[in-house]
Amino acid sequence: MTAVSRRRVLRGGAAVGATAAGSAFTGFGGLVHAAPRGTVPDIAWDELARGLDGTLIRPEDDGYNEWGHPQNLRYDARRPAGVVVCHTARDVRTAILWAQRTGIHLVARSGGHSYGGYSATRGLLVDLGQLNDVRPDREAGTVTMGAGARNSGIYSALQPHNLAVSAGRCPTVGISGLTLGGGFGFSSRQLGLTADALACTRVVTAAGNSLVCDERRHPDLFWACRGGGGGNFGINTEFTFRTTPVDTVAIYQLDWDWRDTTAAFAAVQALAAGAPNAFSCRIGGGSAGRTRPEIRAARKVSALGQFFGSADDLRDLLAPVLRTARPKRVLIENQTFWQAKDFFYHSVPSDRYAVTSSYLDRPLPERGVETFMEAVDDWPGSSNPDGAGIAVFAWGGAIGEVAPRQTAFIHRTAGFLLACQTTWAEQDDAALVAANLRWLRGLSRDLDAYGNGQAYQNFIDPGLRDWRRAYYGANYPRLTEVKRRYDPGDFFHFAQGVTG
Ligand SMILES: Cc1cc2nc3c(=O)[nH]c(=O)nc-3n(C[C@H](O)[C@H](O)[C@H](O)COP(=O)(O)OP(=O)(O)OC[C@H]3O[C@@H](n4cnc5c(N)ncnc54)[C@H](O)[C@@H]3O)c2cc1C
């Protein structure tokens, strides 16, 4: 089949007439089963295209480049054999059943922000980005959305109603990955994790069943959908969350000279450790640039956060930090919740990047901060302006008020989440990329000494060896039971996927 004629049939229904629901798989004449894994014949792809309400995009088609590459370009070589651009939840089922028949590897992509590249595949990519309608229900105090909704679309739909769901800073992160792996942001110490507000979700299983999951219906799967990680049990097509009315908040940003880094970390972490739930905090530092002088000149440290209260009360709360660590720049002001969301919007890292994480029961001590500062001076550099560094987020608050076994999200007792990150760009050669990855691994190994052995499953790290324990801890055995029940054949699998 030529590329031209292929383009003609790719749009399900539009060119060749839609098949009736569920009748897409009238048979590939036995061809598919004879085909080795990964070499699916054109006739089978055409069957898939005809069965879709949405679009199938193959490498030779217009738009493939737009749809085919992952957000983290580190994994850009992992290009799909086909992308199903879902227009309906039925497309998800169609794609799953087709992939079951062909034996091709399938992964779901919603926001595409998997740090580990786990929403990239050489097989079939099921893209949910078009299922992004967000429907607030003011009376019920809930919001229902398609699995492809992203933070920006969710905030936009909720703003006219002054209702919030705690979500992240990055406008393009998807609700699916965010929720399934926990989901935190500057509202989480007050409102809980994104997953904690989940009231109901719809999941299409490996068998093609679309299950409504909540506390009563499929409660085990519902439990797993709150922290059990994306890509493990099925493809979620819809989420309903409880919302919270919001009004004004106060925000702050404090900046220090690099030489004051240890004092800044000590004061901010001490405050955060005993702060009310209304207070959130991220303190981070690092550098950017290619050459040693540039790296040293660009070193920065700052703290940032939100407070559910007034700027005056926030200033009082921050007083010990302002007094002892003496930031060189102080911003504290009242804003609407929505202005604050815009203030925090941040789409970093981008291009090519790697991240590690660990939970800390206590503040990162001075020796740990010094280790990080020495590491920044040793950073090999790269062409990515996002640079490299660490961030420490205050944990606890409402996150810690949920018992570790109540949802699949185990990390409820930690005091802080630590993330280490490095970034690079296409023009950086292989040796420099390898040096960056060695640098990150070395720094995170040194700082792990201060952690409690856990890591955040949404900062998924392909290099983490003991990931079952780190991401899921004592909840892992129960996750394997859920896996056996809903995906006994391990159809949804990836390198750090839950197995039955
Ligand atoms: C720039 C950036 C900023 C970030 N900021 C934050 C933050 O502020 N707070 C925070 O908590 N995290 C943050 N993260 C991490 C983020 O929560 C995770 O990367 C999350 O998994 C991304 O979800 P996604 O839908 O965008 O990604 P995807 O890559 O689409 O999905 C992630 C995983 O879930 C699977 N999946 C996707 N859709 C579905 C579905 N519908 N059903 C089942 N499985 C599915 C994928 O196959 C993949 O394994 C950030 C990440 C980046 C890159």
Side-chain angles (χ1 to χ4, degrees), residues 332-404:
I332 300 175
E333 64 182 42
N334 290 313
Q335 294 196 347
T336 67
F337 183 83
W338 310 106
Q339 288 169 326
K341 170 266 295 176
D342 288 339
F343 175 75
F344 293 127
Y345 259 180
H346 196 59
S347 299
V348 168
S350 59
D351 202 336
R352 286 150 174 85
Y353 49 87
V355 172
T356 64
S357 72
S358 53
Y359 282 97
L360 318 178
D361 290 337
R362 282 171 290 282
L364 186 64
E366 186 170 328
R367 184 64 208 118
V369 178
E370 285 167 357
T371 300
F372 142 66
M373 293 174 74
E374 287 157 15
V376 168
D377 284 344
D378 289 341
W379 181 50
S382 84
S383 307
N384 189 325
D386 295 339
I390 70 165
V392 172
F393 301 88
W395 210 248
I399 302 170
E401 289 166 9
V402 177

Side-chain angles (χ1 to χ4, degrees), residues 15-216:
V16 292
T19 52
S23 66
F25 307 106
T26 47
F28 308 135
L31 281 169
V32 168
H33 295 294
R37 194 178 177 87
T39 56
V40 178
D42 280 348
I43 186 175
W45 288 106
D46 293 343
E47 282 266 11
L48 173 60
R50 281 197 297 274
L52 296 172
D53 299 318
T55 312
L56 174 66
I57 298 176
R58 302 234 32 230
E60 60 272 34
D61 294 322
D62 295 340
Y64 177 79
N65 269 343
E66 181 196 335
W67 290 98
H69 69 76
Q71 206 267 351
N72 187 350
L73 296 176
R74 175 183 181 187
Y75 301 103
D76 204 23
R78 207 180 288 164
R79 291 292 188 99
V83 183
V84 170
V85 180
C86 297
H87 284 189
T88 59
R90 194 178 72 102
D91 285 343
V92 174
R93 176 176 189 271
T94 301
I96 289 175
L97 293 180
W98 182 86
Q100 289 273 17
R101 285 173 60 93
T102 57
I104 196 169
H105 182 237
L106 171 151
V107 298
R109 179 175 71 188
S110 290
H113 282 53
S114 169
Y115 277 118
Y118 291 132
S119 54
T121 177
R122 293 198 169 83
L124 183 67
L125 183 56
V126 178
D127 187 283
L128 295 130
Q130 306 298 301
L131 303 183
N132 60 4
D133 61 314
V134 183
R135 303 183 303 277
D137 181 337
R138 220 187 140 71
E139 256 174 48
T142 59
V143 58
T144 297
M145 61 193 72
R150 295 173 183 237
N151 282 335
S152 59
I154 300 164
Y155 285 129
S156 301
L158 289 174
Q159 180 168 356
H161 307 278
N162 275 327
L163 294 174
V165 172
S166 115
R169 283 180 80 182
C170 174
T172 48
V173 162
I175 194 64
S176 293
L178 188 74
T179 306
L180 297 170
F184 81 98
F186 285 123
S187 301
S188 301
R189 279 174 47 86
Q190 174 82 359
L191 305 180
L193 298 172
T194 316
D196 294 338
L198 187 65
C200 183
T201 183
R202 193 179 270 276
V203 185
V204 183
T205 63
N209 300 319
S210 179
L211 305 179
V212 176
C213 308
D214 57 20
E215 292 287 3
R216 286 183 305 107

Side-chain angles (χ1 to χ4, degrees), residues 4 105 124 148 153 161 193 377 387 421 466 468 470 479 497-498:
V4 173
H105 182 237
L124 183 67
H161 307 278
L193 298 172
D377 284 344
Q421 166 187 307
D466 196 6
R468 292 176 186 80
L479 286 170
V498 172

